[in-house]
Amino acid sequence: MPHSQTSAPRGSVRLARGASPWLLPTVATAALSLLRARSSKRAAVVAVPATALAAGMLWFFRDPEREITQGRVISPADGVVQSIMPWKDGRTRVAIFMNPLNVHVNRAPLAGTVTSVEHIPGGFVPAFNKESENNERVVWHFDTELGDIEMVQIAGAVARRIVPYVPQGTKLEQGERIGLIRFGSRVDIYLPEGVDVAVEVGQATTAGVTRIDRD
């Protein structure tokens, strides 16, 4: 059975799965320093940056509910279209760069079945750099109504961990959450031959909302 696209009212925000290793220590440090701030000047000094960092982590790991757009292919990521490149096999690669202020939970671009999830070790150069194609990444393949669709989550200079949410064999609804990339990073989606691109380089995208292809 496909998973539900949403589990909370539209407009609500939850925290992303996979955030705990980063979020819990920062929130705990902030809370402890605030409790001790009244009796310790050192704790008071620590409390300000610790609280700011905890607030930043809460913002970064937000995971808002979305009303999923109707369309053949929708954006898997929040960010900005970095490049649109024709591939030798006839496909078109759309690369979406995510900065640290974007929501970093990625979503299924089409309904279908996950046929493979492959983790490939690599470097950690900035995700906007051309050499980031050799970065740590997770390659997804989906069996969809358009055939095989490939999507690649690419780690950036800070993002040292990609957290897939679903395993091979999972049946997905369009727009369903499939994974998290921690901090700045990139997501590439390969459109099949004959599918026209609806977005432009420099255009902002919203995961589950922005349509990538054109009728």
Side-chain angles (χ1 to χ4, degrees):
M1 291 291 293
H3 298 274
S4 172
Q5 292 180 21
T6 61
S7 58
R10 176 184 151 197
S12 63
V13 179
R14 64 185 188 182
L15 292 176
R17 289 167 51 195
S20 298
W22 290 79
L23 189 59
L24 291 181
T26 56
V27 171
T29 300
L32 184 60
S33 61
L34 285 171
L35 286 173
R36 294 180 174 177
R38 291 185 178 181
S39 58
S40 169
K41 290 184 178 181
R42 179 176 297 179
V45 171
V46 172
V48 175
T51 302
L53 179 60
M57 287 289 185
L58 287 169
W59 174 257
F60 175 81
F61 286 116
R62 69 197 187 281
D63 182 10
E65 297 296 339
R66 301 269 169 84
E67 182 173 345
I68 304 304
T69 296
Q70 297 298 311
R72 290 187 303 176
V73 187
I74 57 177
S75 177
D78 287 21
V80 174
V81 178
Q82 181 183 43
S83 65
I84 299 172
M85 293 183 60
W87 227 239
K88 293 180 180 180
D89 59 10
R91 297 180 299 166
T92 302
R93 187 188 71 182
V94 179
I96 300 171
F97 173 72
M98 299 184 293
N99 68 45
L101 298 180
N102 291 128
V103 173
H104 275 57
V105 174
N106 300 140
R107 294 174 178 261
L110 292 87
T113 301
V114 179
T115 55
S116 69
V117 185
E118 181 185 8
H119 172 260
I120 301 175
F124 296 98
V125 302
F128 54 80
N129 192 309
K130 187 179 185 301
E131 294 180 1
S132 65
E133 294 177 8
N134 296 317
N135 274 13
E136 185 100 3
R137 58 202 183 276
V138 171
V139 180
W140 296 77
H141 283 272
F142 306 96
D143 180 21
T144 75
E145 62 179 9
L146 295 180
D148 176 69
I149 296 293
E150 180 180 351
M151 190 190 91
V152 184
Q153 294 174 297
I154 303 173
V158 179
R160 299 295 176 115
R161 181 75 187 278
I162 300 171
V163 185
Y165 288 168
V166 296
Q168 180 178 336
T170 303
K171 293 183 178 180
L172 297 169
E173 295 181 8
Q174 188 176 43
E176 187 172 348
R177 298 170 175 86
I178 61 170
L180 168 74
I181 313 179
R182 293 174 180 159
F183 304 105
S185 39
R186 196 178 101 196
V187 173
D188 295 348
I189 180 170
Y190 293 80
L191 301 181
E193 185 174 8
V195 176
D196 294 327
V197 180
V199 293
E200 300 177 347
V201 173
Q203 179 178 336
T205 62
T206 302
V209 176
T210 304
R211 186 168 176 180
I212 296 295
D213 76 312
R214 191 189 313 279
D215 288 327

